[in-house]
Amino acid sequence: MYTYKYPHPAVTTDCVIFGYDVKEGLSVLLVERGIEPYRGCWAFPGGFMNIDEDAETGARRELREETGLETAFIEQFGCFTEVNRDPRERVITIAFYALVRKAEVQGGDDAAAARWFPIGEVPALAFDHDRILRVALGKLREKIHFEPVGFELLPEVFTMPQLQSLYEAILEVRFDRRNFAGKMLKLGILEQAEERPAGTGSRIPVRYRFNADQYKEMKSKGFKLEF
Amino acid sequence: MYTYKYPHPAVTTDCVIFGYDVKEGLSVLLVERGIEPYRGCWAFPGGFMNIDEDAETGARRELREETGLETAFIEQFGCFTEVNRDPRERVITIAFYALVRKAEVQGGDDAAAARWFPIGEVPALAFDHDRILRVALGKLREKIHFEPVGFELLPEVFTMPQLQSLYEAILEVRFDRRNFAGKMLKLGILEQAEERPAGTGSRIPVRYRFNADQYKEMKSKGFKLEF
DNA sequence: ACAAAAGTGTTAGGCCTACACCCATGA
DNA sequence: TCATGGGTGTAGGCCTAACACTTTTGT
């Protein structure tokens, strides 16, 4: 038992895990709760922060347990502290979002209870997780205007139409193909993954790769990505 | 005494209070710590979150105690959770920044120990508050591109050169007078505070007021401010 | 042969930037 | 009268948005 002179809230981390594929669009990974409260409801993976780890370490631990991924883009985006957000006791949660490649996700330990939901088909969630999702989506949208985070959701090699669909799914807008490709290529952070076989202007899309080193170098020279 | 089965961290809120005037530029309000650890060091006002209040309520309480202000723009911008950030025990802090009008600030209860520091002359701070300040500044800079938060730092009625200096202080850039005024006026969120007395194109600057209602209405109609 | 997907270039309008002169005030 | 501060408009370049046709593949 641990005793304190003043009451301390419990602290959890929750992780909004975003994935993407062309068929389902932008999706989040939810787990079905096996215990009360909200038993049987879907919620974000999360759990209590250990006393000897910082919040990001805790969130990465949750991510690993659910997806098997050791490395992924992860970012803290807010702390939710409403007094009665958990019916059991005072719990505050530090919320992260993670961007993962769905193809690389292995079902984790609790795989049976985890499922991807397209962003438009998310059921009612446990606790205040509906609100957390809305905030996460907003932050992701803001983020993608200024950082090349979209590539975290795509396979290493991807096509321009794929990239465009991703941006359209996240931002919920439509772009003109030509303008999108032009703007994206002009940023100078994409490289062609391979020469096209032979047939020139064909129906087979060009495959690109995100050049992270190039981006880092440009960024260090004061380049500000803006989309 | 309060006992728990697992250890719980202590949770504090800290408040980076920004103020502005033309003479000193962008400043932050710091308090000198009267107790260990870091006794005698400067730090942001803050304190333990009560168990029956949410984080924003706690931060507003701190703000009120330090500045006497009941209402101000305040926003959570991050949670700092490094394991050893406080030498006494495990403490995480939920950090807010507040934008206040320096002229309206009354010294609070602890006024003797509180002082404004221009952003360029901030001394070494207690705990990880240096880092918190850097993050706060970054978030404020991001924010001001998309929300009309600058007006929270100015008197209700202000001149275009004042507004420009404020933007220059926050963003650490210089703008062309004509371009700045043109862009700002074209947003349609400023109204002239009064007709100019008589002398037309004179040396006395026009006084403006931020039209918050107008902005709200435009925003609700899908207008996105961008600066 | 037809439908679907991908590649490509041009034009017009708006926005941003750079820049110079005039007037009024206060020293 | 001189220096300072504030107001005002225009021209060029860049970016954005809108738009159509050709090629290839698969059915």
Side-chain angles (χ1 to χ4, degrees), chain A residues 176-179 183 186 199-204 226:
Chain A
D176 177 272
R177 281 209 319 289
R178 294 160 288 214
N179 296 339
K183 199 168 163 185
K186 193 160 49 54
T200 114
S202 127
R203 189 175 150 182
I204 286 146
E226 202 162 320

Side-chain angles (χ1 to χ4, degrees), chain A residues 69-180:
Chain A
L69 292 173
E70 288 290 336
T71 64
F73 180 90
I74 189 173
E75 182 160 279
Q76 185 194 313
F77 69 90
C79 189
F80 295 80
T81 63
E82 203 192 310
V83 173
N84 292 308
R85 55 181 296 282
D86 189 312
R88 292 165 295 185
E89 57 168 329
R90 185 75 204 279
V91 181
I92 69 174
T93 195
I94 302 171
F96 290 76
Y97 62 86
L99 305 180
V100 306
R101 302 182 221 278
K102 263 171 115 173
E104 294 179 7
V105 170
Q106 322 287 339
D109 305 343
D110 309 317
R115 238 193 76 191
W116 288 102
F117 287 83
I119 221 64
E121 301 166 23
V122 171
L125 300 178
F127 305 106
D128 54 355
H129 286 199
D130 303 283
R131 181 164 164 244
I132 291 176
L133 176 57
R134 282 199 305 278
V135 176
L137 263 171
K139 298 283 181 177
L140 174 59
R141 285 187 189 128
E142 285 175 24
K143 188 80 177 177
I144 204 169
H145 284 291
F146 301 104
E147 300 280 343
V149 291
F151 307 108
E152 307 290 339
L153 290 161
L154 289 176
E156 208 199 325
V157 166
F158 51 85
T159 69
M160 193 58 76
Q162 275 180 305
L163 185 60
Q164 181 173 346
S165 313
L166 171 63
Y167 271 72
E168 291 179 339
I170 293 178
L171 298 173
E172 290 184 324
V173 295
R174 310 282 307 179
F175 296 104
D176 177 272
R177 281 209 319 289
R178 294 160 288 214
N179 296 339
F180 182 87

Side-chain angles (χ1 to χ4, degrees), chain B residues 176-179 183 186 199-204 226:
Chain B
D176 176 272
R177 280 209 321 288
R178 294 160 287 214
N179 295 338
K183 198 168 162 184
K186 193 161 47 56
T200 113
S202 130
R203 188 174 153 182
I204 287 146
E226 202 161 321

Side-chain angles (χ1 to χ4, degrees), chain B residues 91-165:
Chain B
V91 181
I92 70 174
T93 196
I94 302 170
F96 290 77
Y97 63 86
L99 306 181
V100 306
R101 303 182 220 278
K102 263 171 113 173
E104 294 179 6
V105 170
Q106 323 285 338
D109 306 342
D110 310 316
R115 238 194 76 190
W116 288 101
F117 288 82
I119 221 62
E121 300 166 23
V122 172
L125 300 177
F127 305 105
D128 54 355
H129 286 199
D130 302 284
R131 181 164 163 243
I132 291 176
L133 175 57
R134 282 199 305 279
V135 176
L137 263 172
K139 297 284 181 177
L140 174 59
R141 285 188 188 125
E142 285 176 24
K143 187 82 177 174
I144 204 170
H145 284 291
F146 300 104
E147 300 280 343
V149 291
F151 307 108
E152 308 289 339
L153 291 160
L154 289 177
E156 208 198 324
V157 167
F158 51 86
T159 68
M160 193 57 77
Q162 274 180 305
L163 185 60
Q164 181 173 346
S165 314

Side-chain angles (χ1 to χ4, degrees), chain A residues 206-224:
Chain A
V206 176
R207 289 149 58 80
Y208 295 97
R209 196 192 305 274
F210 170 55
N211 190 332
D213 294 335
Q214 172 79 359
Y215 172 66
K216 271 198 220 100
E217 192 182 321
M218 290 165 68
K219 193 173 169 185
S220 74
K221 286 182 178 156
F223 164 80
K224 287 260 185 298

